[in-house]
Amino acid sequence: MLQSLASNSCVRLIQSHKSTWYFVSLVLGYLLYLIFGAVVFSSVELPYEDALRQDLRAIKKQFLLENECLSEERLERFLKKALEASNYGVSILNNASVNWNWDFTSALFFASTVLSTTGYGHTAPLSDGGKAFCIIYSVIGIPFTLLFLTAVVQRIMVFSTRRPINYIHTHWGLSKPLVAIVHATLLALLAVSCFFLIPAAIFSALEENWNFLESFYFCFISLSTIGLGDYVPGEAVNQKFRELYKVGITVYLILGLIVMLVVLETFCELQQLKQLRKMFYLKKEKPQDRLAILEHDHLSFTTVSKRSVVHGDNKTQPFVSVQTLGSPNDDPLIQ
């Protein structure tokens, strides 16, 4: 008996706080997914990192043996300086000195990566004035970019999603949720083809050291605004039409980001995903609950009023004696 009561109370507790339990499970699932990613990345990449470290140590040791006049301390200072310059996008190699990082087209590409929060990191401001301007430019530019993208996506959604779905639902008589799912799937396939597969093939042809997987990897990392910076197009030596190439990449990033947002917004409008999101949200006060409260208050007020009327009828003597007038002429004021 006690066990059944305890189980019933637990069930009622879970049912009354269902949204909270869903949210806790969401947080735990997210943490587990983070741990899963860390385990996989560590197990896959750690052997390659160890092999690369051993290769660099062997090359360094062989270089010092071949150049006995150069001490290890001087070599360390030189390499440290070269790596610091490389972090700012400046290379010490002779074949890389022809490409400037801060000409107009490169600066335009850098500005687009800052405003879109992609941030490849291959180029960074060198001066204190450039760093200060980058902060101010980002504080104003990132909200401006969000406003711009929101306005553009809102207008595109009318013609790319809402009107086609309503048209097919109205004229063909198909179920609106089914039409929305098929439309979102086709739109996602079209976006993947036009902004991932085709650009990946183009980049693999234009970039000498990129294969198709690396090009597709760059497209995904860029349009998802992850921006790791390990692959940046247009940085090869003697790149043909480098300025025009940089402008084209900037346009590709802006258009691709808009298309990705349209696809995401299309999926977010699916009824199934809306119901899934509501599982983890706090419940709002429903209009039915407000109506029930108002009806309860009205009933309470009506009951009190009736009681007052009944109580007044039971009184034998009124507080004030009122004379009943037969006609208006009986009123002494009129007389």
Side-chain angles (χ1 to χ4, degrees):
M1 184 66 180
L2 294 176
Q3 292 180 354
S4 63
L5 290 175
S7 62
N8 290 332
S9 62
C10 291
V11 170
R12 287 195 300 269
L13 179 63
I14 294 174
Q15 291 293 333
S16 60
H17 298 83
K18 187 183 294 184
S19 177
T20 303
W21 291 111
Y22 283 149
F23 178 74
V24 171
S25 63
L26 177 65
V27 174
L28 293 177
Y30 187 76
L31 293 177
L32 290 176
Y33 193 71
L34 283 177
I35 296 173
F36 169 73
V39 171
V40 172
F41 283 126
S42 178
S43 60
V44 171
E45 295 297 330
L46 193 59
Y48 287 91
E49 180 185 2
D50 183 63
L52 182 59
R53 287 177 181 271
Q54 292 180 4
D55 291 341
L56 288 177
R57 291 193 187 99
I59 294 173
K60 178 183 174 182
K61 185 178 180 180
Q62 183 66 27
F63 181 81
L64 290 174
L65 290 176
E66 295 176 355
N67 299 272
E68 297 179 355
C69 59
L70 181 63
S71 64
E72 185 175 0
E73 290 77 10
R74 292 177 60 187
L75 179 62
E76 289 282 348
R77 289 197 300 268
F78 172 76
L79 292 177
K80 182 179 179 181
K81 194 71 175 178
L83 291 175
E84 289 178 354
S86 179
N87 291 333
Y88 286 97
V90 179
S91 177
I92 198 173
L93 301 177
N94 291 328
N95 54 6
S97 60
V98 294
N99 295 333
W100 292 89
N101 294 323
W102 293 106
D103 55 357
F104 178 76
T105 55
S106 299
L108 179 65
F109 178 70
F110 173 78
S112 67
T113 60
V114 169
L115 295 183
S116 62
T117 67
T118 304
Y120 292 113
H122 71 293
T123 302
L126 300 174
S127 62
D128 293 338
K131 295 174 183 177
F133 177 74
C134 184
I135 295 174
I136 300 173
Y137 185 72
S138 302
V139 168
I140 300 174
I142 292 176
F144 189 21
T145 304
L146 293 176
L147 177 62
F148 164 72
L149 293 176
T150 303
V152 172
V153 170
Q154 190 269 339
R155 282 162 172 77
I156 294 177
M157 285 289 295
V158 175
F159 299 97
S160 66
T161 300
R162 298 189 180 101
R163 287 188 179 180
I165 292 176
N166 291 329
Y167 179 84
I168 296 175
H169 171 66
T170 303
H171 291 78
W172 293 6
L174 297 177
S175 174
K176 195 170 185 178
L178 177 61
V179 174
I181 293 176
V182 174
H183 174 269
T185 304
L186 294 177
L187 186 63
L189 292 175
L190 181 63
V192 169
S193 300
C194 295
F195 288 90
F196 287 94
L197 297 178
I198 296 176
I202 295 174
F203 283 128
S204 62
L206 295 177
E207 299 290 333
E208 296 180 357
N209 299 324
W210 292 15
N211 55 30
F212 183 81
L213 176 61
E214 293 170 336
S215 301
F216 188 88
Y217 169 80
F218 163 76
C219 295
F220 177 79
I221 293 298
S222 299
L223 297 185
S224 59
T225 67
I226 298 174
L228 296 177
D230 48 351
Y231 289 92
V232 180
E235 298 298 321
V237 181
N238 298 324
Q239 178 71 52
K240 296 181 179 179
F241 307 105
R242 185 172 183 269
E243 291 78 9
L244 183 62
Y245 190 30
K246 286 286 187 179
V247 174
I249 297 170
T250 303
V251 175
Y252 162 74
L253 291 178
I254 296 175
L255 292 180
L257 187 58
I258 292 173
V259 171
M260 292 302 103
L261 291 176
V262 170
V263 173
L264 289 176
E265 185 67 20
T266 301
F267 275 93
C268 288
E269 289 190 356
L270 295 177
Q271 293 295 328
Q272 292 80 358
L273 291 182
K274 288 182 179 180
Q275 294 175 0
L276 180 63
R277 294 200 307 270
K278 288 180 180 179
M279 292 173 56
F280 308 102
Y281 292 168
L282 288 174
K283 292 184 178 180
K284 298 180 180 179
E285 186 180 355
K286 297 181 180 180
Q288 293 82 358
D289 299 336
R290 297 178 183 176
L291 183 60
I293 294 173
L294 292 176
E295 289 179 352
H296 181 269
D297 294 341
H298 178 70
L299 290 174
S300 301
F301 178 76
T302 305
T303 304
V304 172
S305 301
K306 289 181 179 180
R307 289 178 180 177
S308 300
V309 173
V310 172
H311 181 71
D313 292 341
N314 292 332
K315 292 182 179 179
T316 57
Q317 292 181 352
F319 289 102
V320 180
S321 180
V322 181
Q323 181 182 2
T324 303
L325 300 178
S327 64
N329 295 327
D330 296 336
D331 192 344
L333 292 178
I334 297 177
Q335 293 177 357

